[in-house]
Structure formats: C-alpha cells, structure tokens
Amino acid sequence: RQDVRQRAPPPLLTPEEIAAVPGLVLAENPFLGKGGFGSVFKGTINGVVPVAVKRIKERNNKEYRERFATEEERQEHRRKVADEINALMKSISVAHICKIFGAYSAPEGTLLVLELC
C-alpha cells in the first residue's frame, strides 16, 4: 500500500474548467486537498477575492452511465446541478458557513466556488 503522503495531487483544473468560472485565477500552488466528493483548489476571483474551487466528482457507476449515456446528457445534468446549487445559495445565509459564490458546469464536472475560509 502506497503511503498517502507520497501520492501525487490530482490534475489541476483544465483550461476549460478555469474558463467556466468568470474571473478565476488559480494560485501558484493551487492544490488544497481531496475529499470524498472531489478535489479542492485555491484561487482568486479577479485577482482579489480568495476562493476555494471544488471539482465535484461525477458518480462513476453503471446506473449513472445508463441514465446519462451521452456527453450531451452528462453536460446538461451538470448544468442542472449548477443551477440548483445557485438557486439554493440565494436562500441560505448563515454566519458560520462559508459563502458559496456559485456553481459552474464544466466538461470535467461541476465546479463549486466557495469563500476561502
């Protein structure tokens, strides 16, 4: 078993993913960590507002692949997920929770942009 500290970080956000988030600039060493739902990267919006960008992993199981068989169906699903998150964040305001700046659909999956806290 490979030691966790020796594992390479996941690939950085692709140019397409970066382009999906308006004004996103990645930090010089952007990888922050990896969790159960995906990898997290550090950046700024317009070079000013520090943010964490979470690349949400798509479920890679048979049911998901059957339900969204084509890339067009998967992209439409990502867009709907981003729309739902954006609608939800408009109704939530809690002092002790990081602010959600937005969710964006990208070719590799959904990107969630959060306040870096």
Side-chain angles (χ1 to χ4, degrees):
R1 182 174 139 144
Q2 187 180 15
D3 185 80
V4 173
R5 293 169 292 185
Q6 294 178 356
R7 290 185 187 161
L12 296 178
L13 295 174
T14 65
E16 294 82 10
E17 289 174 314
I18 294 169
V21 181
L24 177 64
V25 177
L26 287 182
E28 188 173 325
N29 296 304
F31 180 70
L32 291 175
K34 185 174 181 178
F37 291 104
S39 302
V40 182
F41 302 91
K42 181 179 181 179
T44 60
I45 298 297
N46 298 323
V48 178
V49 180
V51 294
V53 180
K54 183 162 194 111
R55 178 195 291 140
I56 300 173
K57 292 190 301 189
E58 289 187 346
R59 297 184 331 192
N60 191 17
N61 61 39
K62 184 179 178 184
E63 179 184 333
Y64 180 83
R65 289 189 309 271
E66 288 173 355
R67 184 170 178 198
F68 306 107
T70 68
E71 181 56 35
E72 290 79 22
E73 290 172 329
R74 288 188 289 275
Q75 189 64 23
E76 177 65 14
H77 178 254
R78 290 181 204 118
R79 188 192 61 73
K80 287 180 179 180
V81 168
D83 288 348
E84 286 290 326
I85 292 169
N86 285 321
L88 179 63
M89 70 181 211
K90 289 178 183 176
S91 65
I92 296 175
S93 179
V94 179
H96 302 292
I97 296 179
C98 291
K99 181 177 180 181
I100 300 172
F101 290 112
Y104 302 88
S105 176
E108 307 299 320
T110 302
L111 302 174
L112 189 57
V113 180
L114 306 156
E115 173 184 22
L116 187 59
C117 52

